Amino acid sequence: MKKLLLSIFALLIFTSSCRKEEPPTLFTMDYDLDFTIPTGLNPFGGIYGVKIRNIPSNIESYLIANNMELEDIVEIDQAFAKLTADFSGVEYGFIRNATVRILESNDSTNYNPIFERLQVPDNTGPILDMIPTLIDPTDFLKRETFDIWFEMELRAFSPSLLDSQLSLQFKVLDK
């Protein structure tokens, strides 16, 4: 029994030491996007979405500020996303599932989910935190502009006109 426990313990130590370390973050790219969720969206009406077009990536400004060239960027990963209601008293509990997709500004057939929140809790307040996906947004963020599609499946009618801000942060990683 002791040998079995010792073997399991050794295996756990070995697997935890074999994890790939994430490279250090060189800088972050932040975007605050405003949009409105209309009143009375029907939970039986399917999936609703809001498209935010031609968002400047500001990639040149980020590169200049960090003394880098575009070729120096190998990988950009999602850090976090959150949806915030502009007025107090309004909550996002009417949303069942939410997804943030990134699109090319000139080709809306190329889109990928970069953040999502499945099974949003009923008691979600005025802030909805989202979870990064494993999709690589690097090519989209290296362009001058990109589009965002905020998609939601509802569990209840949208209660009122809801001014919202979607905050996105991406991290540019070292090689």
Side-chain angles (χ1 to χ4, degrees), residues 27 32 37 117 137:
F27 60 91
D32 291 323
I37 298 173
R117 183 67 185 265

Side-chain angles (χ1 to χ4, degrees), residues 58-167:
N58 299 320
I59 189 68
E60 290 300 322
S61 299
Y62 283 117
L63 292 171
I64 290 169
N66 292 283
N67 199 25
M68 294 180 66
E69 298 291 327
L70 190 60
E71 299 78 37
D72 296 335
I73 295 178
V74 175
E75 184 177 357
I76 303 173
D77 281 350
Q78 301 90 317
F80 77 84
K82 72 177 177 179
L83 185 64
T84 307
D86 285 348
F87 298 106
S88 61
V90 180
E91 299 180 348
Y92 290 112
F94 66 94
I95 298 175
R96 174 176 286 127
N97 297 316
T99 304
V100 175
R101 298 179 184 275
I102 192 166
L103 300 84
E104 288 183 32
S105 290
N106 58 356
D107 180 10
S108 60
T109 61
N110 186 10
Y111 64 95
N112 290 304
I114 53 172
F115 294 99
E116 62 187 3
R117 183 67 185 265
L118 304 177
Q119 299 304 317
V120 174
D122 291 343
N123 62 351
T124 296
I127 298 175
L128 176 60
D129 292 315
M130 303 191 71
I131 300 166
T133 66
L134 297 176
I135 302 297
D136 183 4
T138 304
D139 290 340
F140 294 94
L141 295 169
K142 285 175 134 182
R143 300 175 192 277
E144 268 186 53
T145 62
F146 61 93
D147 295 349
I148 288 292
W149 175 257
F150 179 78
E151 183 177 278
M152 59 193 155
E153 180 184 346
L154 307 181
R155 73 166 46 94
F157 286 90
S158 55
S160 64
L161 198 62
L162 183 50
D163 291 329
S164 300
Q165 183 175 70
L166 180 63
S167 299

Side-chain angles (χ1 to χ4, degrees), residues 10-22:
L11 183 63
L12 288 173
I13 289 176
F14 176 73
T15 56
S16 66
S17 66
C18 291
R19 290 185 196 158
K20 180 182 170 188
E21 286 191 32
E22 185 174 298

